[in-house]
Amino acid sequence: MKKIKTQLPETLWALGLMMAGSTLRKVKSRSWKKQRHFRLLEDGLTIWYKSRWAGKGHSTFSVMDVEAVREGHQSEVMLSIAEEFPAELCFTLVFHGRQGNLDLVADSPEEAQAWIQGVRKLIHKAQTMDEQERQDQWVRDWFQKADKNKDGKMNFKEVKKLLKMMNVEMNEDNALHLFTMADKCESGSLEIEQFVHFYQMLTQRDEVWKVFQDYSGDGERLTLEELETFLRLEQGEGDQSSQHAQQLIQRYEPSETAVKESSMSLEGFQMYLCSQEGSVFNPALLELQQDMNQPLSHYFISSSHNTYLLEDQLRGQSSLEAYIQALKRGCRCVEVDCWDGSDGEPVVYHGHTLTSKILFRDIISTLKEYAFKVSDFPVIVSLENHCGVEQQTVMATHLRQILGEMLLTAPLDGQIPHMLPSPQELRGKILLKAKKIGGLETHLDETLTDEVSDEDETANGDAESPSAEDPPAETTNKKSKLSRELSDLVVYCKSVHFHGFEHARSQAKCYEMSSFSESKAKKLAKDAGSEFIRCNARQLCRTYPSGLRTDSSNYNPQDMWNVGCQIVALNFQTAGLEMDLNDGRFRQNGCCGYVLKPDFMRDADSSFSPDRPEDRPGYKPARLSIQVISAQQLPKVNQKEGSIVDPLVRVEIYGVPQDQTKEETGHINNNGFNPVWNETLNFIVHSPELALVRFVVEDHDKTSRNDFIGQFTLPFTCIQPGYRHIHLLSKDGTAIPPSSVFVNVNVSELT
């Protein structure tokens, strides 16, 4: 094998080895290590593996499901076997979404490198596919699944069965007609290329053709001028339509002749509409484009609660992987619950529960490695401190030694701040949110006591529930001891008890912040929404789920954003509506984890009230009209043979109370392949700057709750008008290509 390596380019050698196959150890724990034979299939994107003793049984996964490859001991499982297997033999495949890692050990460093480099090359290839290549690969994947005897051919009976698997219910005569057209050799079966052609004929979309016909003079192509007219009148592009039209032809038109003539065919038009540029989310707003030079208190900050947990907060596993997953999703505020460890090393878990424990120092090492891979804006470590002074000092030592220059330990300019620094000024810095002895003004005068009043915050953190509080014997003390070394590390995020808005306005410092349970925050929002907004223009505040949510469910973050709360902490490990809203809010601005609040929430004298948005100066409500036209290739939710979905589309608005509303289409019977609705849903949005729009597709059920199929959530201000595709996401927020909904969106001012 080494000889081959010297004769071939690195990548070809690696892919050749992968296709020939390797026996690798699959590792699940220190005691579970089993050999499996892995190989790359001929399609170049599917990895097949089996036990050599398992007969015909095997498993496969697509490289398109793999997010990254980690070398060496970069997972908890790999760290546990570090003494047994050297780092150069080990690698970890990390999957999108909530699928667990695949930890593998090769027999030689060369073999490990072949798989590491090969999979990385294939990931890059998958990520750079255009829409047509992605669609073709999706069809090929289905063909591979259905070709049970692996002869590379499918007769009409097998094709009909495959169409059912793909959620297609269609007229048999029509299917047979298209099958015969694709069977150029008249062999009675289709090879993979012919099947791709058959599928392309099957997926020709009348609704796109009709839009094309409306603007095409000859019905065959769009001239440059006709495409400009479409972009200006339908897509709301105005003056920029001329230059953009030429770019779209260059980018999406498959015919070289048409490109030379500066025209676009129906195929190119459909590829544009299905592309990122044709998405309902304005691609310009996906980039980092907001002002990042305002005080921290002027931003919504993507924030996690109980970050260490992979599951529920009573028995769930605590894991470093949970921190990695949260940071990869753009989270900028993580929570660490610290308790005294039996051997002098602080541990992290959900106190007084059966959740497993991990070392504090390992979490800090993980933060050092992953804090700034997705975003280089500051990370806040929210410390819930239950440790005695001795182990608090150990924590301070770990923070300083492991993080080094990353850790912010003093005000940026050495001055007492009158307002918080900006994300831009704090780039690459990790901030500690915790209790502090005295304030920044005192410079930790030696005469200060090391004691902190218990009224500030229970257990030096967030008082969540009886299970999270200290035992009665400890909480009877009126004072709790705080390590001077740990206190010194708190700069801009000093945790304090909330004494009311009047006190905050007259006495509070900009670097002081309070935490509120969801019920306390909701009560404050209801009783004094405008005051809450004004307070949050000057200071940070954190909200967190009720301690009664033992299943680690979430509250609706929109209620907290409506009053300007910046650190709205959610259980990232729990999929559902609330995390959809969080992902939607932070999808903009480069997914950097910071989103600038609307201007009326950044003013310390603001009179804005979420209950009366119409009273705000500059109030401009918007009309949103969404024509739901069709959907494409929806996934099956019931895997029973012959079961096909009955889809409906619901549009939900989340924002100030007046904007909380939803409308839905009727359902289409037995069609998850190309259902057509042509139904229009209308909304009035009173505070567009705060609103989120969530598109949901469900499988209608008369007798029970509808099944979830897919969703996509985005800020109202990021919507592109015109004919757009909504590319659906699964329940855990990962893409499910090529599933989409085709809509025509109109946004206008309400007059």
Side-chain angles (χ1 to χ4, degrees), residues 412-432:
L412 290 178
D413 55 5
Q415 302 298 310
I416 304 305
H418 299 293
M419 65 172 59
L420 288 167
S422 69
Q424 180 67 32
E425 292 172 303
L426 291 166
R427 281 184 112 134
K429 291 296 183 183
I430 293 176
L431 283 62
L432 189 64

Side-chain angles (χ1 to χ4, degrees), residues 423-486:
Q424 180 67 32
E425 292 172 303
L426 291 166
R427 281 184 112 134
K429 291 296 183 183
I430 293 176
L431 283 62
L432 189 64
K433 171 199 166 292
K435 302 303 290 298
K436 184 173 183 67
I437 304 164
L440 294 178
E441 294 81 358
T442 61
H443 296 287
L444 295 177
D445 191 304
E446 283 302 320
T447 60
L448 277 171
T449 174
D450 286 357
E451 295 177 336
V452 177
S453 171
D454 262 355
E455 70 164 1
D456 280 356
E457 276 183 284
T458 302
N460 296 330
D462 301 332
E464 292 180 38
S465 66
S467 67
E469 292 174 3
D470 285 337
E474 294 175 31
T475 54
T476 52
N477 298 326
K478 288 299 177 192
K479 302 282 184 181
S480 58
K481 287 281 189 177
L482 187 61
S483 155
R484 182 72 60 92
E485 289 83 353
L486 190 62

